[in-house]
Amino acid sequence: MFGDMMGMMNKIKETQAKVEETKKRLDSVTLLEKSNDELLKVKITANREIKSIEIDDELLQDKEQLEDYLILTLNKAIKKAGDVNEAEISAVAKDGLPDIPGLTS
């Protein structure tokens, strides 16, 4: 019984280490999100850190339009990054967790 418990604890520690490694790796995964007309481009990491924003000169003429573009495009970029992050972390965690009755979906 204690052997099983120790094995389970070791597996959980290994999984935690793999999750941390994955989080670090996701810092280097860069995603690009663009407005539909490509007047605004946002680069973001899979850990949701914005790396750059490119704004076409056309958008600089209208403050309200630029604000709308920023909100829409940044929200899409953050969602895309969150989806990638969640999928990667979930895959590592699911793969490394021991089979515990009642916790599997």
Side-chain angles (χ1 to χ4, degrees), residues 8 12 94 97-105:
M8 191 181 322
I12 290 172
K94 184 178 178 182
L97 286 177
D99 291 328
I100 301 173
L103 288 183
T104 55
S105 50

Side-chain angles (χ1 to χ4, degrees), residues 14-78:
E14 288 175 23
T15 300
Q16 286 174 331
K18 287 180 182 177
V19 166
E20 290 304 314
E21 288 173 21
T22 301
K23 285 180 182 178
K24 287 179 185 173
R25 183 180 58 77
L26 291 174
D27 280 333
S28 65
V29 174
T30 304
L31 307 166
L32 177 64
E33 186 61 52
K34 305 178 217 174
S35 61
N36 291 338
D37 54 10
E38 298 190 15
L39 295 178
L40 182 70
K41 298 175 185 172
V42 175
K43 284 186 185 174
I44 188 169
T45 69
N47 279 331
R48 299 175 204 99
E49 181 180 341
I50 295 170
K51 291 297 189 177
S52 70
I53 298 175
E54 293 179 36
I55 303 170
D56 189 277
D57 289 341
E58 181 181 325
L59 288 177
L60 297 177
Q61 309 307 314
D62 185 343
K63 179 181 182 280
E64 193 172 304
Q65 182 183 19
L66 174 57
E67 290 170 346
D68 289 343
Y69 269 67
L70 284 167
I71 290 168
L72 292 171
T73 308
L74 287 169
N75 281 333
K76 287 189 332 186
I78 291 167

